[in-house]
């Protein structure tokens, strides 16, 4: 049995070729440490790009080293903080800022999606059946008869239709009444 109980569930553990599964299955501490590492590395990369034209950043202070100011300029740019003390004044820095804004939007979307997926996944203690059982019963309500024609969510309909059950029986039942 594996450390994560994947052997008894019939699921192979994630490996480096499945980064999504690795990030979903990682501990919260590991996930947050990886996000922090990526944050620092991305800003170091953009700080190095800004330093290719250090005169392109206006408002630099002599009280702080230039690489550190470029790093903080990168953080302020990606986080869209823009305090106003530092500002772009060359075409190169404007191009790098534009690229950094795009990378920042993508990273925020990816990290938000991963965090949501981590919060919304089922706990490991829940086990799902291998076969789906669906029974229809005829119900009489105030003179109207019903045969399981309720409003099913289409995701459920697709999951049930792909499960190893008699699909030709279920599909007409899951179709909207017309």
């Amino acid at each position: 049995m594996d450390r994560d109980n994947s052997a008894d569930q019939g699921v192979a553990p994630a490996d480096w070729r499945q980064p999504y599964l690795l990030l979903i299955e990682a501990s919260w501490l590991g996930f947050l440490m990886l996000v922090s590492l990526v944050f620092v590395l991305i800003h170091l990369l953009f700080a190095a790009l800004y330093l290719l034209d250090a005169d392109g950043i206006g408002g630099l202070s002599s009280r702080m080293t230039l690489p550190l100011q470029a790093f903080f300029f990168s953080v302020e740019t990606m986080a869209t903080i823009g305090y106003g003390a530092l500002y772009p004044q060359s075409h190169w820095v404007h191009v790098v800022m534009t690229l950094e804004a795009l990378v920042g939007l993508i990273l925020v979307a990816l990290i938000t999606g991963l965090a949501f997926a981590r919060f919304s996944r089922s706990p490991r203690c829940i086990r799902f059946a291998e076969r789906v059982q669906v029974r229809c019963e005829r119900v009489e309500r105030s003179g109207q008869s019903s045969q399981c024609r309720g409003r099913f969510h289409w995701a459920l309909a697709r999951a049930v239709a792909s499960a190893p059950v008699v699909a030709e029986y279920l599909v007409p039942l899951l179709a909207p009444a017309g």
Side-chain angles (χ1 to χ4, degrees):
M1 178 189 326
D2 290 342
R3 193 181 98 214
D4 61 354
N5 297 332
S6 60
D8 61 336
Q9 295 176 3
V11 177
D15 63 7
W16 63 272
R17 292 173 292 181
Q18 298 172 326
Y20 175 78
L21 291 178
L22 282 175
L23 292 171
I24 292 295
E25 293 176 356
S27 68
W28 273 104
L29 180 62
F31 177 73
L32 294 175
M33 287 175 55
L34 182 64
V35 167
S36 299
L37 178 68
V38 167
F39 177 84
V40 169
L41 291 176
I42 291 287
H43 289 299
L44 287 174
L45 170 72
F46 279 104
L49 290 173
Y50 288 130
L51 288 176
L52 294 176
D53 182 14
D55 295 331
I57 302 174
L60 293 173
S61 170
S62 60
R63 295 180 294 173
M64 199 182 314
T65 64
L66 187 60
L68 194 57
Q69 288 185 78
F71 178 82
F72 289 135
F73 183 64
S74 172
V75 171
E76 292 170 11
T77 299
M78 189 177 286
T80 65
I81 297 170
Y83 290 120
L86 300 176
Y87 54 91
Q89 61 183 21
S90 74
H91 290 294
W92 172 252
V93 173
H94 276 285
V95 168
V96 174
M97 282 183 68
T98 303
L99 180 63
E100 186 172 15
L102 178 65
V103 169
L105 287 172
I106 292 169
L107 282 176
V108 166
L110 288 174
I111 291 169
T112 303
L114 283 167
F116 175 78
R118 292 175 61 83
F119 275 119
S120 64
R121 71 180 180 174
S122 301
R124 291 180 188 231
C125 62
I126 295 177
R127 298 200 180 222
F128 295 96
E130 290 182 22
R131 294 189 52 118
V132 176
Q133 275 191 345
V134 178
R135 286 193 328 213
C136 261
E137 295 181 11
R138 196 167 187 91
V139 178
E140 297 287 334
R141 289 188 197 141
S142 64
Q144 296 177 347
S145 66
S146 168
Q147 289 184 325
C148 295
R149 292 196 183 238
R151 294 185 179 176
F152 282 85
H153 192 277
W154 284 108
L156 174 63
R158 283 193 301 269
V160 169
S162 65
V165 294
V166 183
E168 62 258 4
Y169 175 72
L170 293 176
V171 171
L173 293 176
L174 297 176

